[in-house]
Amino acid sequence: MFHRLTSSREVLLSGAIAVLLALVATRFPSFVAPSNLADVFNDTSPLILLAIGQMIVILTKCIDLSVAANLALTGMVTAMINVAYPGVPVAVILLVAISLGTLMGMLNGLLVWKRTIPPIVVTLGTMTIFRGIIFLISDGKWVNSHEMSNAFKAFPRAEILGLPTLSWVAILTVIAFSVVLTRTTLGRAFYAVGGNPHAATYTGLEVGRTQFWAFTISGALAGLTGYLWVSRYAVAYVDIAGGFELDVVAACVIGGISIAGGIGTVGGAVLGALFLGVIKNALPVVNISPFWQLAISGAAIIIAVAVNARASRTKGRIILKSAEHAA
């Protein structure tokens, strides 16, 4: 029982987060105050949303490097709509954001499915295209806080039961996709396609179609996050969330989602995001430049991939040993 607990990525990651918080608290006790931890969770909510979408894509043996560009383009479009038509209800803005993000995700999915282009090539290309479109529609200009309506900016900040709406969106998304991945046919298909594509094909699953839906979900979550990001920070510009795709991939890999596909949980992705979120918020507190976050994220990816690869080899040896004993 103890070995099973200590070998669980979620348990180990939870322990690492607790140790990290304890170390910071030795110098700054107020960092672990409930109100501050709630702020850390709220700051990490956009990363959690994108990590869940990325996790689903990675489960199917793919990767989506365009999520941050999708977020940026959706955020710019919703900001420009708000400036041009300040009276448009937030519900309509949310619908536009999710729809636009979904379309961009579908584009990625179709290129991977129908044209059989490697996912990393597709999403590198669309990432550049999306950033270029932002420049074209905005003419390189920013949309600033004073140009946005109060209702547009208020939605992610509005508190419900003591937590901002942004945090509640992340919590509800975590619950929803935990159910989708564990209780639905589509969720099981994501694992089957990533775990063994050939076997999945024999059981009647179409690998390309399943990957298409994974990219579609990732795009929808990126679109939703685009509006939430721009409205929360009250600014939109070409390079918004630049490089954020690295944090998203890092959160997934740290959370135990295998880049080989078929392995991972929503809980792992959330814990991976929270681990990075705690680091990001703790660095300024302990007088370390936030620019180190990129280096830490990159190092975390390498270490996590190495750990995952070693775990896979260990499992393989155990299976072989079992087979030898059975013979």
Side-chain angles (χ1 to χ4, degrees):
M1 178 68 176
F2 178 76
H3 176 72
R4 189 161 62 248
L5 284 174
T6 55
S7 63
S8 166
R9 176 60 67 90
E10 286 84 355
V11 172
L12 291 174
L13 198 48
S14 298
I17 293 171
V19 169
L20 185 59
L21 289 173
L23 289 174
V24 176
T26 57
R27 293 184 60 186
F28 301 94
S30 60
F31 188 83
V32 294
S35 59
N36 189 67
L37 292 179
D39 289 341
V40 171
F41 180 84
N42 194 55
D43 288 343
T44 312
S45 291
L47 180 57
I48 290 173
L49 291 171
L50 293 182
I52 291 173
Q54 186 74 260
M55 180 208 71
I56 294 172
V57 172
I58 293 175
L59 282 178
T60 65
K61 282 186 180 293
C62 295
I63 193 165
D64 187 355
L65 298 179
S66 68
V67 287
N70 183 326
L71 177 162
L73 177 53
T74 304
M76 178 60 78
V77 169
T78 55
M80 292 178 70
I81 290 174
N82 178 248
V83 171
Y85 306 99
V88 173
V90 171
V92 175
I93 294 290
L94 280 168
L95 181 61
V96 169
I98 295 171
S99 300
L100 180 57
T102 299
L103 288 175
M104 286 186 274
M106 285 181 167
L107 174 61
N108 287 331
L110 284 172
L111 290 171
V112 171
W113 176 21
K114 295 298 186 181
R115 307 306 302 173
T116 63
I117 305 173
I120 191 170
V121 175
V122 168
T123 55
L124 274 173
T126 53
M127 174 180 72
T128 307
I129 292 170
F130 297 160
R131 292 283 181 187
I133 292 174
I134 300 172
F135 185 84
L136 289 174
I137 64 175
S138 67
D139 199 26
K141 297 177 181 177
W142 290 37
V143 178
N144 294 302
S145 177
H146 69 275
E147 300 175 87
M148 301 175 182
S149 70
N150 290 330
F152 182 87
K153 294 181 289 186
F155 178 77
R157 298 183 177 88
E159 291 195 357
I160 303 172
L161 300 177
L163 283 178
T165 305
L166 176 58
S167 293
W168 282 113
V169 170
I171 291 169
L172 293 175
T173 302
V174 168
I175 294 171
F177 281 98
S178 294
V179 173
V180 168
L181 289 177
T182 58
R183 297 284 186 268
T184 68
T185 302
L186 181 61
R188 289 189 289 271
F190 291 141
Y191 284 101
V193 163
N196 193 326
H198 299 295
T201 301
Y202 284 125
T203 61
L205 291 174
E206 189 168 354
V207 173
R209 185 189 297 275
T210 305
Q211 291 172 336
F212 166 80
W213 286 116
F215 277 108
T216 300
I217 291 171
S218 177
L221 289 174
L224 171 62
T225 309
Y227 161 66
L228 294 172
W229 183 298
V230 166
S231 57
R232 180 175 185 245
Y233 295 108
V235 65
Y237 54 95
V238 174
D239 294 324
I240 194 168
F244 199 59
E245 58 276 346
L246 175 63
D247 286 346
V248 177
V249 174
C252 291
V253 177
I254 292 169
I257 290 85
S258 172
I259 57 174
I263 298 173
T265 65
V266 171
V270 172
L271 287 170
L274 288 174
F275 180 79
L276 291 178
V278 170
I279 288 176
K280 179 180 179 181
N281 283 271
L283 289 181
V285 173
V286 295
N287 295 322
I288 298 175
S289 170
F291 291 105
W292 275 101
Q293 187 196 357
L294 283 175
I296 292 171
S297 298
I301 289 176
I302 295 172
I303 294 170
V305 169
V307 170
N308 289 345
R310 183 174 180 180
S312 298
R313 287 197 300 270
T314 302
K315 290 179 181 177
R317 284 195 292 270
I318 291 171
I319 292 170
L320 288 173
K321 284 182 179 178
S322 299
E324 287 172 2
H325 289 315

